[in-house]
Amino acid sequence: MEKLRGWFAGRLPEEWFEGRVEIVLDREEIAVVGRLRAPALGDDVSEVERSAALEGGILRFREETRERRVEIALEAEHRFRRKVSWGVAVGDETVMFTTLSVPVMTRLKQSERQVLDTLVAAGVARSRSDALAWCVRLVGNHTDTWLADLRDALQHVDRVRAAGPDVNS
């Protein structure tokens, strides 16, 4: 992860983002999320105007950087063997420009399939696949702290493993 973070820090133009970009990595995808400077607006603007200014700034950044982001993504995809997706954060809002949807296979018992079928029958989801994705999002929303702690622990394991002896030599 450090090599990946360092590569993007060296490759991304400094004027694009405030501070360090957030890199989220899994087996298939590298998500790069940078913080944009919020538009300078006075205290007397309405929430509607502020929201529209944020949306306009995000769209401007997306369009103005598209060609360069594609170039950087292609280099990263070749180097790290994962697809790259892009997003920005402004204030409390995070917007992803591109994301990868990956099929996941699983085996479910009848009682678990019934949960998915109930969600489909109730119109919450269009299919079992959509119902399963809905369940994963629901769990993710309600266990953010626990999942973050687990991810931190896994990163610690990766650092310890990398510092250990090379058994392939």
Side-chain angles (χ1 to χ4, degrees):
M1 182 65 119
E2 290 176 1
K3 183 176 184 178
L4 184 69
R5 195 175 282 124
W7 187 87
F8 274 101
R11 189 65 182 85
L12 293 174
E14 291 180 20
E15 66 273 9
W16 278 10
F17 302 118
E18 289 186 331
R20 215 162 95 170
V21 296
E22 177 186 1
I23 305 285
V24 180
L25 177 70
D26 70 11
R27 286 186 262 178
E28 293 88 14
E29 182 176 21
I30 301 166
V32 180
V33 180
R35 180 155 294 282
L36 297 180
R37 182 175 297 112
L41 302 171
D43 294 334
D44 59 338
V45 298
S46 70
E47 193 54 42
V48 171
E49 185 176 348
R50 186 174 310 282
S51 178
L54 288 176
E55 182 181 343
I58 291 168
L59 289 173
R60 182 185 71 237
F61 176 84
R62 184 177 187 182
E63 293 304 318
E64 289 177 357
T65 63
R66 181 185 313 273
E67 189 174 313
R68 191 84 185 274
R69 284 184 297 107
V70 168
E71 176 185 311
I72 293 168
L74 289 173
E75 287 177 35
E77 288 169 6
H78 178 74
R79 182 180 189 101
F80 300 108
R81 305 276 186 242
R82 290 176 172 94
K83 289 291 188 185
V84 174
S85 60
W86 296 94
V88 294
V90 183
D92 295 336
E93 186 174 354
T94 299
V95 176
M96 295 302 296
F97 299 153
T98 55
T99 56
L100 191 62
S101 290
V102 178
V104 177
M105 299 295 292
T106 187
R107 296 179 187 279
L108 299 175
K109 295 178 179 149
Q110 185 179 36
S111 62
E112 296 162 333
R113 293 189 310 269
Q114 287 174 339
V115 170
L116 301 181
D117 292 342
T118 299
L119 293 171
V120 171
V124 172
R126 292 175 298 184
S127 64
R128 283 181 171 176
S129 178
D130 285 345
L132 187 56
W134 183 87
C135 291
V136 170
R137 282 191 302 274
L138 182 66
V139 169
N141 289 340
H142 291 288
T143 59
D144 282 342
T145 304
W146 181 80
L147 288 173
D149 290 347
L150 189 57
R151 287 185 189 107
D152 289 344
L154 289 172
Q155 287 177 352
H156 179 70
V157 168
D158 287 342
R159 285 192 299 273
V160 171
R161 188 179 293 136
D166 184 7
V167 294
N168 296 325
S169 298

